[in-house]
Amino acid sequence: KEEIWTENPHPHASLDTYLQFAPAISVYSLNMAGMKGKNNLFDASMIYLLSNLIMNTIVFTVKNISHEQRPDGSDYYSFPSGHTAEAFTSAEFLYQEYRGRSPWIGIAGYGLAASVGYLRMYNNKHWLHDVVAGAGCGSASTRLAYFL
């Protein structure tokens, strides 16, 4: 908090709100461009829906139990980061669908997801451990959905 916000106050960036969905949108964009993923679009959509259901159940249950205050003091729903969890759910979805095509597709998705985590801290909405927990929850939720 001291390094990012206290010593360098700055205006909030709202990019994290939209960027969290970019890897998932990439799956649909690549499909429309003719680059098919591991599953057909219907099956991939159902897997993505299931992964979001799992992720949101875990994130909002833990947020209510942990009752941790955000760095900016706005509320007590800091842990884990929901934006970061969604970003990593989407990044893992992109990775799972295109991992056989090119490693760079997955790297790009995870790069976007990591950017969302950084922006949540940059905007003074989350602590580092909130972001790390959200990342783990998001990736694990998608892997569980693919397993199921």
Side-chain angles (χ1 to χ4, degrees), residues 19-84:
L19 200 58
Q20 64 183 326
F21 301 106
I25 291 169
S26 297
V27 170
Y28 295 101
S29 299
L30 287 168
N31 263 282
M32 285 190 269
M35 188 180 211
K36 302 299 179 197
K38 178 180 175 181
N39 296 291
N40 66 52
L41 212 46
F42 178 78
D43 289 346
S45 296
M46 292 301 104
I47 292 169
Y48 184 58
L49 182 66
L50 178 61
S51 64
N52 269 280
L53 181 66
I54 294 166
M55 180 271 299
N56 279 301
T57 300
I58 294 167
V59 165
F60 289 106
T61 300
V62 174
K63 277 183 180 285
N64 285 318
I65 292 170
S66 68
H67 199 69
E68 184 173 338
Q69 189 174 27
R70 292 183 187 274
D72 67 356
S74 61
D75 62 35
Y76 287 87
Y77 297 109
S78 185
F79 183 82
S81 169
H83 282 73
T84 307

Side-chain angles (χ1 to χ4, degrees), residues 60-134:
F60 289 106
T61 300
V62 174
K63 277 183 180 285
N64 285 318
I65 292 170
S66 68
H67 199 69
E68 184 173 338
Q69 189 174 27
R70 292 183 187 274
D72 67 356
S74 61
D75 62 35
Y76 287 87
Y77 297 109
S78 185
F79 183 82
S81 169
H83 282 73
T84 307
E86 177 59 46
F88 276 85
T89 296
S90 296
E92 183 67 25
F93 175 55
L94 176 64
Y95 169 73
Q96 290 293 330
E97 285 298 310
Y98 289 98
R99 68 181 176 179
R101 293 282 205 160
S102 170
W104 294 105
I105 295 173
I107 291 168
Y110 275 106
L112 289 169
S115 298
V116 170
Y118 175 77
L119 286 169
R120 296 308 289 165
M121 293 184 299
Y122 179 85
N123 288 333
N124 205 30
K125 288 295 186 180
H126 286 288
W127 306 100
L128 177 61
H129 66 275
D130 301 340
V131 169
V132 171

